[in-house]
Each structure stands twice: as structure tokens, then as C-alpha cells.
């Protein structure tokens, strides 16, 4: 049962603004039009005497086209985006974080770091903490340009990351953050591991001859939202040889119950179990859905929203989880 509709409205709006990466669940409905990150990151110099080491200063272009130069390896960081926080921990520099967004929840260590706001940053606190680098979002760049200017005036290097909607976007963001923090080798390892695991799933998916149609539900009734093309979930379903029931839609869209029933999906995936109790039970009990294949066969499952919408290292876990739920006969252990 839904705990509070008011809570849902608040959470969903926040989530839609802060993806595609930092609220416990970030979805991009109110986000500026997604851009493919343009991370032409290049080291300025080669490390001397240390093979493979990254030297500073480094200069790169962030996701809003700004040329950013970091003179020396940063010792203190702030991340006002959950996906960026996850990436920083995965890169092994989580111990440098002295501030994170109010919604950063993974890994658990992030919960212990000073909170510095979300869409509305606590600018005074950030400037008091005075990190070497602050990782912010395109939303902040578009709506709080004056605050970012203040950060730079007091000596904080600002790096802007855009909204990611594909695995390639996520890889590019990781590479940029790694360049900024001197961890490019670690980023290469993470990205290669993600690519290898995804390739293994694609290879195994070739065994599938009877493709299943999957309805992805990222918000419950009465305002049911799903993910069409240009979303991680769509790309994930393609990876495991499943059909997105909303493949004719683009981005995050709302459909009526009548429209969904007409699609007649074989499997229904929900992503809101973190604020709705027993989401599968609620879907299975909907009036007028009894003849939908997924309902008849009780193929309704909830997944961790963070692993299928947050552009970070755990995206590959999201694909693997979907594969096991949708095609247990192929991907089950």
C-alpha cells in the first residue's frame, strides 16, 4: 500500500529533476534536455618516472562546454549528485569527499558525509568547507550560475556533469570525473568490467527465441510513468533481448491504464518499492488488468531504482538483475 501520496509527489518531482544520477531515485522529467557528455579529457603532461600515472595539471571540457583546468591533484571534493558520489567512491577517492547532496545514499559511507543541499545548494556551507573541486549538475549550471561563480571566486574549481541517458554517456562521465581526480586507470578498469559483463549478457541473450514484452513502471497509479527510448531501461532491455512495451515513446512518459492494458506486456517491472509497500501486490490487484499476460502469469517484479536509473558503476548490476527476473530460464543461476 502506498505510504503517502503527498510523499510520492514530492519524491517523484525531486527524482525527475536530479537523475538520470543523486536523489535516492533520480528521473529526468524536469531535467533540461539531456546532452551526451562531451568529455574530451586530456592530460596536459605525462608522468615522469611513473609508468601509467596521471600528472597534473589537467585540462578537459566539462558537459556544458566549459574548459576546466585543475592545477594539482585535488585533496577535498564535494559532490551534489548521487551518481557522481557513487562514481567517486568507486574510483577510490570517497575519502576525499567533505560534502555530498542530501540524497546521496550509496555507498553507506556517503550517509556520514556532511550534507550540502540538492537542487538548492547550501552555498554558504560549501564555501565554508572550501573544497578543491565541486562536482555539480547541469541543473545547477542553468539555475544557479551566480552561486557557481561565487564558488570559483573563492577558489573552488567547478565541474559540471550533464544528464546521462545511455551507457556511453555514463562511461564518459566516469572518465571526466576520473580525469579531474587523477584516477583514470581505475576508471578504465571499471568501464572495461561493465562492458565485459554487458557483452556476456548480450551473448547469452542470443539463446532467447521467444522475446518477452516488458512494461517498466517508474511511478504507480494514478499517474503511471514509464521509460521509452533514450533511457537506461530501454537500453537494458535491448541488451537482454527483451522488448520495451513503450518502445514507441521517448524518454519518461505518462500513459493511462487503458493504454497499458492494450500493450499486454508479458512482464511488469516496477522501480518504486522504496516508497510503496508491496508494489507487485498492488499491480496484480488492479481492476481491469486480469487479462494482461503479466498479471495472469504473476510476472510482476520490483527492482532497485538506483541500479537502473542512476548513471554509475551499478548500472551493470541493474541489467543483470533484469535478466534474471525476465528470463530466469536463461540467466538464472
Amino acid at each position: 500500500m502506498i505510504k503517502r501520496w503527498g510523499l510520492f509527489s514530492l519524491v517523484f518531482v525531486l527524482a525527475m529533476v536530479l537523475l538520470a544520477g543523486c536523489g535516492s531515485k533520480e528521473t529526468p522529467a524536469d531535467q533540461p534536455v539531456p546532452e551526451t557528455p562531451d568529455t574530451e579529457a586530456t592530460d596536459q603532461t605525462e608522468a615522469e618516472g611513473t609508468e601509467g600515472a596521471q600528472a597534473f595539471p589537467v585540462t578537459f571540457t566539462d558537459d556544458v562546454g566549459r574548459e576546466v583546468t585543475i592545477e594539482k591533484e585535488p585533496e577535498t571534493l564535494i559532490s551534489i549528485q548521487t551518481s557522481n558520489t557513487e562514481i567517486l567512491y568507486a574510483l577510490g577517492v570517497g575519502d576525499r569527499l567533505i560534502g555530498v547532496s542530501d540524497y546521496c545514499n550509496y555507498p553507506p559511507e556517503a550517509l556520514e558525509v556532511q550534507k550540502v543541499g540538492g537542487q538548492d545548494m547550501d552555498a554558504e556551507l560549501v564555501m565554508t568547507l572550501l573544497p578543491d573541486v565541486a562536482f555539480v549538475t547541469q541543473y545547477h549550471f542553468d539555475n544557479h550560475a551566480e552561486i557557481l561563480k561565487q564558488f570559483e571566486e573563492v577558489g573552488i574549481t567547478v565541474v559540471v556533469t550533464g544528464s546521462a541517458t545511455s551507457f556511453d554517456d555514463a562511461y564518459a562521465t566516469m572518465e571526466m570525473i576520473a580525469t579531474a581526480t587523477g584516477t583514470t586507470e581505475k576508471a578504465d578498469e571499471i568501464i572495461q568490467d561493465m562492458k565485459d559483463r554487458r557483452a556476456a549478457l548480450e551473448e547469452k541473450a542470443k539463446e532467447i527465441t521467444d522475446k518477452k514484452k516488458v512494461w517498466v513502471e517508474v511511478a504507480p497509479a494514478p499517474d503511471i510513468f514509464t521509460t521509452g527510448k533514450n533511457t537506461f531501461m530501454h537500453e537494458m532491455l535491448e541488451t537482454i533481448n527483451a522488448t520495451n512495451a513503450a518502445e514507441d515513446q521517448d524518454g519518461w512518459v505518462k500513459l493511462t491504464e487503458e493504454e497499458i492494458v492494450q500493450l499486454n506486456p508479458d512482464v511488469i517491472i516496477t522501480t518504486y518499492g522504496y516508497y510503496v509497500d508491496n508494489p507487485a501486490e498492488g499491480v496484480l490487484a488492479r481492476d481491469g488488468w486480469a487479462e494482461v499476460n503479466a498479471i495472469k502469469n504473476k510476472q510482476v517484479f520490483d527492482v532497485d531504482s538506483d541500479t537502473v536509473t542512476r548513471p554509475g558503476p551499478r548500472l551493470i548490476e541493474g541489467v543483470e538483475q533484469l535478466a534474471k527476473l525476465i528470463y530466469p530460464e536463461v540467466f538464472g543461476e
Side-chain angles (χ1 to χ4, degrees), residues 100-119:
V100 296
S101 89
D102 294 347
Y103 307 104
C104 291
N105 62 352
Y106 189 90
E109 297 85 60
L111 296 170
E112 305 303 317
V113 181
Q114 174 71 58
K115 299 299 184 286
V116 295
Q119 287 177 262

Side-chain angles (χ1 to χ4, degrees), residues 218-236:
V218 298
D223 297 316
I224 303 178
F225 279 79
T226 191
T227 55
K229 297 186 296 291
N230 297 314
T231 62
F232 287 117
M233 284 293 273
H234 182 80
E235 193 171 359
M236 289 175 174

Side-chain angles (χ1 to χ4, degrees), residues 123-134:
E124 184 176 348
L125 177 56
V126 171
M127 288 187 284
T128 299
L129 293 171
L130 203 65
D132 294 327
V133 177

